[in-house]
Amino acid sequence: MTRRLTPAGTVTALVLALCAAVPYLAPALDEPFYVIVFARIMIWAIAAVSLNLIMGYGGMISFGHAVYLGIGGYAVGILGFHDVTSAWVQLPVAIGLSAVVALVFGVICLRTRGIYFIMITLALAQMVYFLSVSAERYGSDDGLNILWRSDFGTRLFDLEDSVVMYYTIFAVLLGCLLVKWRIVMSRFGMVLRASSSNDTRVQAVGVPTFRYRLVAFVIAGVMCGLAGFLQANLERFVSPDMMNWHRSGELILMTVLGGTSTLFGPVVGAVVFLMLSEILSTITIHWHLVFGPFLVLVVLFARGGVMGLLGSRARHD
Amino acid sequence: MDYVLLVEQLLNGFQLGIILFLMAAGLTLVFGIMDLVNLAHGSLFMIGAFVGGTLALATDSFVLGAVLMVPAMFVIGVLLETIALRTLYRRSHLDQVLATFGLILFFNEATRLIWGPEGLVIPLPDFLEGTVALGAGITYPLYRVVIIGVGLLVALGLYLLVAKTRFGMLVRAGASNRTMAGALGVNIPALFTLVFGIGAVLAGLAGLIITPITQAAIGMGEDVLILAFVVIVIGGIGSVRGAFIAAVLTGVIDTMGRSFLDLLLLLVLPANAAEAAGPALASMLIYILMAGILFFRPQGLFPPRGATVIQ
């Protein structure tokens, strides 16, 4: 039995194949710079995938999602600063800290809906941002250099090797997509989607939606914290700018650009967004002048993003 | 403790509160009446500073520049509303966030293109320099007194406009039930445009008034915008009175925290720990306040009467 490949499915396969092949393609095309560009894109894609879990399926528009990038990143940066470079310490701290912060923020934010939710997530993220700016010991605005990437203690798996680094990011991206797919398809995901379209009704059926939404919020935070962990390792640098509210806005943009409530949309969105800014910024330094109105037009006329244009229907809406 | 410093910081906090109120008043009306998340409100703050500053430099008079800024900002606000934002009213909050985020990028870049990346320095006119004696050995910069005075006047004017005039009555009617007000013959779109224009003027005024102290810079409105969000969340969306009280509360707590929190911590912590924790905790103080208020009153302190309940 053969299944026709949909346009959206084709794009998904092509993008993943491209991501997998870049470390070999780029040097062959004499553009080795593209390896790091794609590593960055994939990290943003992980963050956007995590945001889409709560935004696309749970209706929770977090305008402070980049805060977990910063938390995951600073876990590496600050521990490295104190000469703790073992990944077996850094990784659990990055994940645990993201989870705790997401739990606390979730308990506060999820009491509210709509505009309030958007603004409170923004404000709470801003709080952590200013905390990092005020931390003079850890470089304040200037950020913190990371001398050694996280050390897994084995030669076989050494992040200092750029190919290993690249494919680690790729593997994490695949893993996050898998986790998200499993969540969305499960009963848990169904409650999440149902609660985003009519919370009162789901509660009336007897499902304590708050707990479901909180757990989703924490999962998304941890996933994004993982992206921050990878970003700090890739760039060997962390700074408050990682969790600047512009980054949170960009994450939302990527998700919408690719298509909310689609499994793979955020990845496509990250590719389109970052490639577009890469290309536009080489044409003119004032590229935001074109990019800003472009975003407005996307919002107004291209609902459903790239995946929507390709005919992949959002799972609800 | 030195009470002179205490009073000075209280006044500084109050002055910050006034600036926040000017921003939050426009935001809260736009939110409350039009149900629109407008991130570009911070851009209006910046544009007010640049346009007003340029007018002040061109006419060689800060006051004249400020006066001319009012119609200029009103026109900019009306244009922005009719060209870009009007189509967003019926869209989801997500669409509104995205589109107005795009507008921020556009306005920041346009400002950079027109005025250059360095920003704009606007000198204070001579007659606003100097300090005034407030009695009991306290002196305070004259210009900051002027800011507080102007802010209080605007707050009073806004209160009278919303509570006592026919226009204000229509605004309140539109806020509590748009459809019904429209059915009774109120021209809701025109009302929205007018309210947005007023919000733009207030934001622009806030931006211009702060510029002689700081200076006009690209993206200057963004931090103020987020603080204004905190203010209207605390105050209750749609309530001008709530915005005023929350703005002053936020301004005073933020300023006092930054000046005195490390001293307070010294009472309970060893010196080096207090020195490290003080600034960190001070920068988080208003967000903790917001979280606390939301925990007990998710609608904010003063939710407007008759507004739709959100939760």
Side-chain angles (χ1 to χ4, degrees):
Chain A
M1 202 167 69
T2 52
R3 267 172 56 188
R4 269 280 187 81
L5 210 51
T6 58
T10 317
V11 167
T12 306
L14 278 178
V15 169
L16 284 180
L18 183 65
C19 287
V22 159
Y24 298 97
L25 266 182
L29 294 171
D30 212 22
E31 299 270 8
F33 175 63
Y34 273 96
V35 178
I36 191 122
V37 170
F38 264 81
R40 274 184 201 140
I41 289 178
M42 288 193 300
I43 289 172
W44 281 104
I46 297 169
V49 163
S50 73
L51 175 63
N52 192 28
L53 179 65
I54 51 173
M55 192 174 88
Y57 297 95
M60 298 172 251
I61 305 164
S62 167
F63 203 164
H65 206 61
V67 73
Y68 307 106
L69 280 176
I71 288 168
Y74 268 94
V76 178
I78 291 176
L79 284 171
F81 180 79
H82 292 292
D83 292 325
V84 181
T85 56
S86 167
W88 304 113
V89 179
Q90 289 182 349
L91 193 56
V93 168
I95 290 175
L97 210 59
S98 306
V100 169
V101 171
L103 188 70
V104 174
F105 284 8
V107 168
I108 299 169
C109 304
L110 288 173
R111 295 174 58 81
T112 62
R113 289 268 164 143
I115 289 180
Y116 278 90
F117 187 86
I118 297 174
M119 286 190 294
I120 293 159
T121 45
L122 174 61
L124 289 175
Q126 202 67 5
M127 174 178 87
V128 181
Y129 171 78
F130 281 121
L131 187 65
S132 72
V133 170
S134 74
E136 274 172 37
R137 185 129 189 251
Y138 304 116
S140 300
D141 272 327
D142 299 329
L144 206 54
N145 282 310
I146 294 167
L147 294 177
W148 303 104
R149 283 179 177 163
S150 300
D151 182 8
F152 281 90
T154 161
R155 283 261 189 81
L156 295 172
F157 189 77
D158 186 0
L159 290 185
E160 297 291 339
D161 183 333
S162 60
V163 176
V164 173
M165 184 76 226
Y166 185 92
Y167 281 108
T168 306
I169 298 171
F170 185 59
V172 172
L173 174 61
L174 289 182
C176 287
L177 283 169
L178 187 71
V179 168
K180 186 175 143 198
W181 182 62
R182 298 288 308 194
I183 289 177
V184 172
M185 292 304 176
S186 68
R187 180 179 174 275
F188 177 87
M190 193 192 270
V191 171
L192 204 59
R193 277 180 281 145
S195 130
S196 111
S197 51
N198 193 334
D199 197 47
T200 324
R201 225 181 244 187
V202 183
Q203 282 182 7
V205 177
V207 184
T209 52
F210 180 82
R211 269 182 254 163
Y212 282 80
R213 286 151 55 81
L214 186 61
V215 170
F217 196 80
V218 172
I219 293 174
V222 167
M223 241 185 230
C224 193
L226 209 54
F229 171 86
L230 291 171
Q231 194 173 49
N233 270 303
L234 180 73
E235 312 284 357
R236 299 170 193 272
F237 178 68
V238 282
S239 76
D241 193 56
M242 278 170 94
M243 44 184 151
N244 186 305
W245 71 285
H246 275 251
R247 302 291 94 73
S248 298
E250 284 161 12
L251 276 177
I252 299 183
L253 284 178
M254 288 174 199
T255 312
V256 171
L257 213 52
T260 40
S261 327
T262 60
L263 176 66
F264 201 68
V267 182
V268 176
V271 174
V272 172
F273 181 93
L274 291 164
M275 289 307 281
L276 209 60
S277 48
E278 194 77 37
I279 294 164
L280 282 176
S281 61
T282 56
I283 300 173
T284 163
I285 53 161
H286 298 295
W287 62 282
H288 272 167
L289 214 52
V290 189
F291 198 58
F294 165 74
L295 293 176
V296 179
L297 293 178
V298 168
V299 169
L300 291 182
F301 300 112
R303 305 225 47 192
V306 176
M307 292 312 237
L309 292 176
L310 292 173
S312 163
R313 279 188 351 141
R315 296 207 61 87
H316 73 92
D317 217 38
Chain B
M1 189 145 46
D2 187 356
Y3 80 98
V4 174
L5 186 64
L6 191 72
V7 173
E8 262 179 24
Q9 292 299 345
L10 257 175
L11 285 170
N12 282 344
F14 195 69
Q15 181 240 304
L16 174 63
I18 291 290
I19 298 290
L20 288 178
F21 168 69
L22 290 177
M23 275 291 277
L27 260 185
T28 204
L29 282 177
V30 171
F31 270 135
I33 299 172
M34 309 176 208
D35 198 26
L36 171 77
V37 192
N38 178 26
L39 298 179
H41 206 71
S43 297
L44 292 171
F45 183 85
M46 172 183 74
I47 294 169
F50 275 95
V51 169
T54 308
L55 288 170
L57 291 175
T59 57
D60 211 18
S61 154
F62 184 72
V63 177
L64 200 56
V67 171
L68 288 176
M69 182 218 61
V70 173
M73 282 313 289
F74 188 78
V75 171
I76 290 172
V78 167
L79 285 178
L80 181 64
E81 200 269 349
T82 37
I83 295 171
L85 299 178
R86 181 165 284 186
T87 45
L88 290 171
Y89 292 146
R90 290 176 171 279
R91 296 308 193 92
S92 67
H93 292 148
L94 178 59
D95 286 357
Q96 297 172 352
V97 165
L98 284 178
T100 52
F101 186 74
L103 286 176
I104 291 186
L105 298 182
F106 172 77
F107 282 126
N108 279 352
E109 208 52 52
T111 309
R112 188 168 296 140
L113 205 63
I114 298 172
W115 282 281
E118 301 88 17
L120 199 61
V121 178
I122 299 154
L124 202 58
D126 288 336
F127 70 95
L128 290 175
E129 298 270 11
T131 55
V132 279
L134 298 176
I138 299 162
T139 57
Y140 198 64
L142 173 63
Y143 186 62
R144 287 178 187 263
V145 176
V146 171
I147 292 181
I148 293 175
V150 169
L152 287 177
L153 272 180
V154 171
L156 182 71
L158 205 59
Y159 165 75
L160 291 177
L161 184 70
V162 173
K164 302 287 175 198
T165 66
R166 183 171 176 78
F167 171 74
M169 189 183 73
L170 296 180
V171 168
R172 280 177 289 134
S176 38
N177 195 332
R178 226 171 309 175
T179 325
M180 184 58 81
L184 291 174
V186 180
N187 187 345
I188 295 288
L191 191 70
F192 281 5
T193 311
L194 219 54
V195 169
F196 196 88
I198 293 172
V201 171
L202 293 179
L205 182 66
L208 179 63
I209 214 168
I210 199 75
T211 305
I213 298 178
T214 56
Q215 62 163 281
I218 290 151
M220 65 189 282
E222 293 171 11
D223 289 344
V224 186
L225 174 81
I226 295 168
L227 281 180
F229 277 161
V230 173
V231 164
I232 64 174
V233 167
I234 292 177
I237 290 177
S239 160
V240 175
R241 183 176 60 131
F244 184 77
I245 294 168
V248 172
L249 198 67
T250 308
V252 169
I253 288 181
D254 190 54
T255 310
M256 299 303 270
R258 282 174 206 281
S259 331
F260 300 112
L261 199 64
D262 43 355
L263 291 177
L264 277 179
L265 286 177
L266 265 181
L267 302 176
V268 287
L269 288 175
N272 55 350
E275 237 164 65
L281 199 59
S283 64
M284 294 166 69
L285 213 53
I286 52 165
Y287 302 102
I288 297 171
L289 171 79
M290 179 192 72
I293 285 176
L294 276 173
F295 200 80
F296 295 105
R297 291 183 69 110
Q299 305 295 310
L301 292 178
F302 304 96
R305 264 172 298 176
T308 21
V309 176
I310 288 167
Q311 205 168 16

